[in-house]
mmCIF file of all heavy atoms in Angstrom:
data_model
loop_
_atom_site.group_PDB
_atom_site.id
_atom_site.type_symbol
_atom_site.label_atom_id
_atom_site.label_comp_id
_atom_site.label_asym_id
_atom_site.label_seq_id
_atom_site.Cartn_x
_atom_site.Cartn_y
_atom_site.Cartn_z
ATOM 1 N N PHE A 86 -1.942 88.460 -53.913
ATOM 2 C CA PHE A 86 -1.786 87.025 -54.173
ATOM 3 C C PHE A 86 -0.405 86.539 -53.718
ATOM 4 O O PHE A 86 -0.268 85.453 -53.149
ATOM 5 C CB PHE A 86 -1.979 86.728 -55.658
ATOM 6 C CG PHE A 86 -3.400 86.887 -56.134
ATOM 7 C CD1 PHE A 86 -3.688 86.988 -57.490
ATOM 8 C CD2 PHE A 86 -4.442 86.944 -55.225
ATOM 9 C CE1 PHE A 86 -4.991 87.131 -57.929
ATOM 10 C CE2 PHE A 86 -5.763 87.087 -55.659
ATOM 11 C CZ PHE A 86 -6.035 87.189 -57.005
ATOM 12 N N ALA A 87 0.616 87.354 -53.972
ATOM 13 C CA ALA A 87 1.968 86.975 -53.563
ATOM 14 C C ALA A 87 2.060 86.860 -52.044
ATOM 15 O O ALA A 87 2.708 85.953 -51.512
ATOM 16 C CB ALA A 87 2.980 88.000 -54.076
ATOM 17 N N SER A 88 1.383 87.772 -51.338
ATOM 18 C CA SER A 88 1.386 87.728 -49.876
ATOM 19 C C SER A 88 0.710 86.460 -49.371
ATOM 20 O O SER A 88 1.170 85.834 -48.401
ATOM 21 C CB SER A 88 0.675 88.960 -49.303
ATOM 22 O OG SER A 88 1.386 90.136 -49.624
ATOM 23 N N LEU A 89 -0.366 86.042 -50.040
ATOM 24 C CA LEU A 89 -1.046 84.812 -49.655
ATOM 25 C C LEU A 89 -0.139 83.602 -49.865
ATOM 26 O O LEU A 89 -0.099 82.677 -49.038
ATOM 27 C CB LEU A 89 -2.337 84.653 -50.465
ATOM 28 C CG LEU A 89 -3.461 85.645 -50.139
ATOM 29 C CD1 LEU A 89 -4.621 85.473 -51.116
ATOM 30 C CD2 LEU A 89 -3.953 85.452 -48.705
ATOM 31 N N VAL A 90 0.603 83.601 -50.962
ATOM 32 C CA VAL A 90 1.538 82.510 -51.240
ATOM 33 C C VAL A 90 2.630 82.462 -50.174
ATOM 34 O O VAL A 90 2.974 81.386 -49.660
ATOM 35 C CB VAL A 90 2.158 82.661 -52.641
ATOM 36 C CG1 VAL A 90 3.279 81.648 -52.839
ATOM 37 C CG2 VAL A 90 1.093 82.474 -53.718
ATOM 38 N N ILE A 91 3.166 83.631 -49.819
ATOM 39 C CA ILE A 91 4.227 83.695 -48.808
ATOM 40 C C ILE A 91 3.723 83.207 -47.456
ATOM 41 O O ILE A 91 4.386 82.418 -46.768
ATOM 42 C CB ILE A 91 4.759 85.136 -48.692
ATOM 43 C CG1 ILE A 91 5.476 85.534 -49.983
ATOM 44 C CG2 ILE A 91 5.715 85.269 -47.504
ATOM 45 C CD1 ILE A 91 5.799 87.011 -50.074
ATOM 46 N N ASN A 92 2.525 83.649 -47.071
ATOM 47 C CA ASN A 92 1.959 83.220 -45.789
ATOM 48 C C ASN A 92 1.723 81.718 -45.762
ATOM 49 O O ASN A 92 1.999 81.043 -44.764
ATOM 50 C CB ASN A 92 0.650 83.965 -45.514
ATOM 51 C CG ASN A 92 0.868 85.434 -45.206
ATOM 52 O OD1 ASN A 92 1.950 85.827 -44.779
ATOM 53 N ND2 ASN A 92 -0.148 86.253 -45.430
ATOM 54 N N GLY A 93 1.216 81.184 -46.878
ATOM 55 C CA GLY A 93 0.982 79.744 -46.958
ATOM 56 C C GLY A 93 2.279 78.950 -46.850
ATOM 57 O O GLY A 93 2.350 77.935 -46.156
ATOM 58 N N ALA A 94 3.331 79.428 -47.533
ATOM 59 C CA ALA A 94 4.631 78.752 -47.478
ATOM 60 C C ALA A 94 5.217 78.812 -46.071
ATOM 61 O O ALA A 94 5.783 77.825 -45.581
ATOM 62 C CB ALA A 94 5.593 79.390 -48.478
ATOM 63 N N ASN A 95 5.060 79.952 -45.412
ATOM 64 C CA ASN A 95 5.575 80.083 -44.043
ATOM 65 C C ASN A 95 4.839 79.161 -43.077
ATOM 66 O O ASN A 95 5.451 78.548 -42.195
ATOM 67 C CB ASN A 95 5.464 81.537 -43.569
ATOM 68 C CG ASN A 95 6.430 82.455 -44.293
ATOM 69 O OD1 ASN A 95 7.426 81.992 -44.859
ATOM 70 N ND2 ASN A 95 6.154 83.742 -44.284
ATOM 71 N N GLN A 96 3.521 79.059 -43.230
ATOM 72 C CA GLN A 96 2.738 78.174 -42.362
ATOM 73 C C GLN A 96 3.127 76.720 -42.581
ATOM 74 O O GLN A 96 3.265 75.945 -41.620
ATOM 75 C CB GLN A 96 1.252 78.377 -42.622
ATOM 76 C CG GLN A 96 0.720 79.715 -42.128
ATOM 77 C CD GLN A 96 -0.739 79.927 -42.480
ATOM 78 O OE1 GLN A 96 -1.438 78.999 -42.886
ATOM 79 N NE2 GLN A 96 -1.208 81.157 -42.338
ATOM 80 N N MET A 97 3.308 76.337 -43.832
ATOM 81 C CA MET A 97 3.706 74.969 -44.126
ATOM 82 C C MET A 97 5.101 74.687 -43.580
ATOM 83 O O MET A 97 5.366 73.603 -43.037
ATOM 84 C CB MET A 97 3.675 74.723 -45.632
ATOM 85 C CG MET A 97 4.133 73.316 -46.040
ATOM 86 S SD MET A 97 3.109 71.999 -45.344
ATOM 87 C CE MET A 97 1.622 72.195 -46.338
ATOM 88 N N SER A 98 5.998 75.645 -43.685
ATOM 89 C CA SER A 98 7.342 75.479 -43.163
ATOM 90 C C SER A 98 7.315 75.291 -41.648
ATOM 91 O O SER A 98 8.030 74.442 -41.093
ATOM 92 C CB SER A 98 8.198 76.696 -43.519
ATOM 93 O OG SER A 98 9.519 76.539 -43.059
ATOM 94 N N ALA A 99 6.470 76.075 -40.951
ATOM 95 C CA ALA A 99 6.339 75.932 -39.495
ATOM 96 C C ALA A 99 5.774 74.569 -39.131
ATOM 97 O O ALA A 99 6.211 73.937 -38.158
ATOM 98 C CB ALA A 99 5.452 77.044 -38.942
ATOM 99 N N LEU A 100 4.817 74.096 -39.904
ATOM 100 C CA LEU A 100 4.235 72.774 -39.647
ATOM 101 C C LEU A 100 5.274 71.672 -39.814
ATOM 102 O O LEU A 100 5.375 70.759 -38.987
ATOM 103 C CB LEU A 100 3.053 72.535 -40.598
ATOM 104 C CG LEU A 100 2.415 71.139 -40.553
ATOM 105 C CD1 LEU A 100 1.916 70.823 -39.148
ATOM 106 C CD2 LEU A 100 1.289 71.032 -41.570
ATOM 107 N N VAL A 101 6.078 71.767 -40.867
ATOM 108 C CA VAL A 101 7.120 70.764 -41.104
ATOM 109 C C VAL A 101 8.122 70.766 -39.952
ATOM 110 O O VAL A 101 8.540 69.709 -39.463
ATOM 111 C CB VAL A 101 7.822 71.030 -42.452
ATOM 112 C CG1 VAL A 101 9.057 70.158 -42.591
ATOM 113 C CG2 VAL A 101 6.863 70.763 -43.602
ATOM 114 N N ARG A 102 8.516 71.949 -39.494
ATOM 115 C CA ARG A 102 9.463 72.038 -38.372
ATOM 116 C C ARG A 102 8.889 71.420 -37.102
ATOM 117 O O ARG A 102 9.583 70.704 -36.375
ATOM 118 C CB ARG A 102 9.848 73.498 -38.112
ATOM 119 C CG ARG A 102 10.780 74.099 -39.158
ATOM 120 C CD ARG A 102 11.410 75.379 -38.642
ATOM 121 N NE ARG A 102 10.412 76.358 -38.247
ATOM 122 C CZ ARG A 102 9.895 77.268 -39.075
ATOM 123 N NH1 ARG A 102 10.284 77.316 -40.329
ATOM 124 N NH2 ARG A 102 8.996 78.140 -38.642
ATOM 125 N N ASP A 103 7.599 71.675 -36.840
ATOM 126 C CA ASP A 103 6.991 71.127 -35.630
ATOM 127 C C ASP A 103 6.813 69.613 -35.728
ATOM 128 O O ASP A 103 6.940 68.896 -34.726
ATOM 129 C CB ASP A 103 5.640 71.796 -35.372
ATOM 130 C CG ASP A 103 5.811 73.162 -34.707
ATOM 131 O OD1 ASP A 103 6.953 73.496 -34.338
ATOM 132 O OD2 ASP A 103 4.814 73.885 -34.566
ATOM 133 N N LEU A 104 6.502 69.111 -36.904
ATOM 134 C CA LEU A 104 6.427 67.659 -37.089
ATOM 135 C C LEU A 104 7.777 67.015 -36.817
ATOM 136 O O LEU A 104 7.863 65.948 -36.177
ATOM 137 C CB LEU A 104 5.955 67.323 -38.512
ATOM 138 C CG LEU A 104 4.464 67.501 -38.802
ATOM 139 C CD1 LEU A 104 4.204 67.341 -40.297
ATOM 140 C CD2 LEU A 104 3.634 66.491 -38.013
ATOM 141 N N LEU A 105 8.836 67.655 -37.268
ATOM 142 C CA LEU A 105 10.179 67.139 -37.024
ATOM 143 C C LEU A 105 10.496 67.176 -35.527
ATOM 144 O O LEU A 105 11.030 66.210 -34.973
ATOM 145 C CB LEU A 105 11.209 67.966 -37.796
ATOM 146 C CG LEU A 105 12.675 67.559 -37.617
ATOM 147 C CD1 LEU A 105 12.890 66.124 -38.074
ATOM 148 C CD2 LEU A 105 13.585 68.503 -38.372
ATOM 149 N N THR A 106 10.151 68.267 -34.861
ATOM 150 C CA THR A 106 10.377 68.375 -33.415
ATOM 151 C C THR A 106 9.623 67.281 -32.678
ATOM 152 O O THR A 106 10.175 66.626 -31.780
ATOM 153 C CB THR A 106 9.912 69.749 -32.903
ATOM 154 O OG1 THR A 106 10.684 70.771 -33.544
ATOM 155 C CG2 THR A 106 10.081 69.862 -31.399
ATOM 156 N N TYR A 107 8.368 67.071 -33.033
ATOM 157 C CA TYR A 107 7.546 66.054 -32.369
ATOM 158 C C TYR A 107 8.138 64.660 -32.536
ATOM 159 O O TYR A 107 8.169 63.865 -31.590
ATOM 160 C CB TYR A 107 6.131 66.095 -32.936
ATOM 161 C CG TYR A 107 5.174 65.133 -32.268
ATOM 162 C CD1 TYR A 107 4.563 65.471 -31.064
ATOM 163 C CD2 TYR A 107 4.892 63.893 -32.831
ATOM 164 C CE1 TYR A 107 3.689 64.594 -30.439
ATOM 165 C CE2 TYR A 107 4.031 63.008 -32.209
ATOM 166 C CZ TYR A 107 3.426 63.366 -31.023
ATOM 167 O OH TYR A 107 2.566 62.475 -30.399
ATOM 168 N N SER A 108 8.642 64.350 -33.720
ATOM 169 C CA SER A 108 9.149 63.009 -33.994
ATOM 170 C C SER A 108 10.471 62.724 -33.308
ATOM 171 O O SER A 108 10.826 61.565 -33.074
ATOM 172 C CB SER A 108 9.302 62.796 -35.504
ATOM 173 O OG SER A 108 10.394 63.552 -36.016
ATOM 174 N N ARG A 109 11.222 63.788 -32.944
ATOM 175 C CA ARG A 109 12.566 63.590 -32.414
ATOM 176 C C ARG A 109 12.679 63.841 -30.911
ATOM 177 O O ARG A 109 13.786 63.807 -30.367
ATOM 178 C CB ARG A 109 13.549 64.516 -33.155
ATOM 179 C CG ARG A 109 13.708 64.175 -34.618
ATOM 180 C CD ARG A 109 14.621 65.170 -35.319
ATOM 181 N NE ARG A 109 15.978 65.114 -34.807
ATOM 182 C CZ ARG A 109 16.910 64.276 -35.253
ATOM 183 N NH1 ARG A 109 16.615 63.404 -36.208
ATOM 184 N NH2 ARG A 109 18.127 64.279 -34.750
ATOM 185 N N ILE A 110 11.571 64.058 -30.242
ATOM 186 C CA ILE A 110 11.624 64.375 -28.812
ATOM 187 C C ILE A 110 12.354 63.310 -28.016
ATOM 188 O O ILE A 110 13.288 63.587 -27.275
ATOM 189 C CB ILE A 110 10.206 64.601 -28.251
ATOM 190 C CG1 ILE A 110 9.645 65.930 -28.750
ATOM 191 C CG2 ILE A 110 10.223 64.590 -26.723
ATOM 192 C CD1 ILE A 110 8.192 66.154 -28.428
ATOM 193 N N ARG A 111 11.953 62.055 -28.161
ATOM 194 C CA ARG A 111 12.568 60.989 -27.373
ATOM 195 C C ARG A 111 14.032 60.799 -27.758
ATOM 196 O O ARG A 111 14.890 60.577 -26.897
ATOM 197 C CB ARG A 111 11.798 59.683 -27.578
ATOM 198 C CG ARG A 111 12.344 58.502 -26.785
ATOM 199 C CD ARG A 111 11.481 57.271 -26.983
ATOM 200 N NE ARG A 111 10.157 57.459 -26.463
ATOM 201 C CZ ARG A 111 9.813 57.201 -25.195
ATOM 202 N NH1 ARG A 111 10.723 56.769 -24.348
ATOM 203 N NH2 ARG A 111 8.581 57.377 -24.775
#
Side-chain angles (χ1 to χ4, degrees):
F86 290 164
S88 295
L89 291 174
V90 171
I91 293 169
N92 290 337
N95 290 339
Q96 290 176 13
M97 178 61 73
S98 182
L100 174 58
V101 170
R102 287 196 303 270
D103 280 353
L104 284 171
L105 179 60
T106 298
Y107 183 82
S108 71
R109 294 177 65 87
I110 288 171
R111 181 177 296 272

